[in-house]
Structure formats: C-alpha cells, structure tokens
Amino acid sequence: MNTSGTMVWCLACRTVVWALDSHWPGDLRGILNHLKIPCRLCGVSGNYDGMTVTEGTDGWSTMRSIAESEGLAWDPSGSGVWFDDEYSGKVVK
C-alpha cells in the first residue's frame, strides 16, 4: 500500500520545516519561494526545496528517512501551521 506525504525544507538551515502525511495539492515549495515567506526557524526568505513522496507504506517514516539520507534536520511544525500563536510570526531560534 502506497501512502503519500509532502515535506518542505529550508535550504539555509537545512531543516524540514513543514510536513504533512498526505499529498498537498500544488507546489508548496514554489509558493513559499514565490511569496518570499521567511523560514519559521532561521528567518531566511524564499529559500526552500521540497518533495511529495508516494513510495513506502508510511508517509512519515518515508519522509524522515529521506530527510536523514539528505542530511536534513527534522523539525516540522507540530501543528501544521507556519507560525502559530506562540510564535506570532517571529522567528524562533
């Protein structure tokens, strides 16, 4: 059984900053870059890469494995939002 997942990582801090264990329609990486959205961790704007995975039986495990093999830290938003009330749009280090 194949499941999908979508993840986005910041090229500046080399961290997966957003992940969802289902397919996100469209190119989220491209949208974040085009709108120059700052990284929720390091604050660099519009410097993302990402992918949708469709292989494997568990989207989370597959994405974490890919991140590890690419040398990326794993710190996606726990709530799935970019900046929550706690962050109020401020970069947290």
Side-chain angles (χ1 to χ4, degrees):
M1 174 181 178
N2 287 343
T3 59
S4 62
T6 302
M7 66 180 182
V8 174
W9 59 90
C10 174
L11 293 168
C13 64
R14 302 214 23 96
T15 303
V16 174
V17 294
W18 191 88
L20 183 68
D21 62 344
S22 63
H23 177 67
W24 183 267
D27 178 12
L28 182 58
R29 170 210 58 88
I31 292 168
L32 294 171
N33 284 331
H34 183 72
L35 295 175
K36 302 215 180 293
I37 302 296
C39 173
R40 54 178 267 284
L41 298 176
C42 74
V44 173
S45 295
N47 195 27
Y48 301 102
D49 202 350
M51 67 176 13
T52 297
V53 297
T54 56
E55 300 297 323
T57 57
D58 174 14
W60 285 111
S61 296
T62 303
M63 288 186 290
R64 287 184 77 127
S65 177
I66 291 169
E68 183 178 334
S69 72
E70 294 294 321
L72 302 170
W74 182 263
D75 192 7
S77 168
S79 64
V81 298
W82 202 255
F83 295 116
D84 60 20
D85 292 338
E86 177 184 343
Y87 300 128
S88 301
K90 297 177 185 169
V91 173
V92 175
K93 292 196 178 205

